[in-house]
Amino acid sequence: MEFTLWLGLVGAGAMISLTPGAGAINTMSNALSSGFRRSFWGILGQQLALVIHVIIVAAGVGLLVSSSPFLFALVRYVGAAYLVYLGIRKLLAKTEKDDAGDSPAAVESGFSMFRRGLWVNLLNPKAIVFFLAFMPQFIRPERPLMTQYVELTATVVVIDILVMWFIFAAGAKQLKHLTTSDRGQLILNRIFGILFICVGILLALI
């Protein structure tokens, strides 16, 4: 990939990652509930979903999904329902304390955060449609396709990791002091629960 084309890819990838969405909300929620470092597990799950999306589009399945009203609606409503489910869980979540009884305990496993991050991004049909419109601009048919897809995927994934971890997860650290009290935890759970539900509803309606 030519350097100028790659720079365009970097700019586009950054704009995509910086746009708030379910992945950003999930990352901030993880950072607040389990800590900045451990939130990386959820980010890794989201990146695996991005890789799968690229593979789906590259294999031509993405075109089938986007052109089939039934399949697109199925993925869309399942994804929306999953986000609403996460939101309801947040709203109903109880506050948790560590052994000393003073601060919230990070009890969720890394695999659980990884799995949730995977499904949050994977069940977003708009990502497939977006990559269908996005990828052809940076792929040159006369050149080896595999190399170009690897370069594109690696670039998008690295950018998304940096944005998710050092902007959204790091930004959530500014609210970490709220997790030291029951009231603060409840407020944050309700905020992120409502955000998950709102994104799910938007995904279903728009």
Side-chain angles (χ1 to χ4, degrees), residues 75-76 79-80 83 123-126 198-206:
V75 176
R76 182 177 69 172
L83 292 177
L123 292 175
N124 184 359
K126 293 187 177 182
C198 287
V199 172
I201 292 174
L202 287 174
L203 179 61
L205 297 179
I206 298 178

Side-chain angles (χ1 to χ4, degrees), residues 135-153:
M135 287 173 54
Q137 301 178 47
F138 300 96
I139 298 296
R140 297 294 178 263
E142 69 276 6
R143 299 191 175 183
L145 293 179
M146 181 61 70
T147 301
Q148 295 183 78
Y149 280 125
V150 170
E151 291 175 349
L152 184 147
T153 304

Side-chain angles (χ1 to χ4, degrees), residues 25 36 47 60 130 134 140 142 151 188:
I25 295 171
F36 172 73
Q47 304 319 304
F130 173 79
F134 176 76
R140 297 294 178 263
E142 69 276 6
E151 291 175 349
L188 289 175

Side-chain angles (χ1 to χ4, degrees), residues 25 28-29 32-33 87 89-96 104 175-196:
I25 295 171
M28 294 181 71
S29 177
L32 286 169
S33 62
R89 282 189 59 184
K90 272 291 180 184
L91 291 177
L92 298 178
K94 298 179 180 179
T95 58
E96 295 173 346
L175 302 174
K176 188 65 177 176
H177 65 282
L178 294 176
T179 64
T180 58
S181 68
D182 287 348
R183 180 177 174 79
Q185 290 181 60
L186 287 174
I187 291 174
L188 289 175
N189 283 341
R190 287 170 182 170
I191 290 174
F192 282 97
I194 292 172
L195 287 174
F196 272 122

Side-chain angles (χ1 to χ4, degrees), residues 1-12:
M1 185 178 297
E2 301 94 335
F3 183 68
T4 54
L5 186 62
W6 181 78
L7 285 179
L9 175 62
V10 170

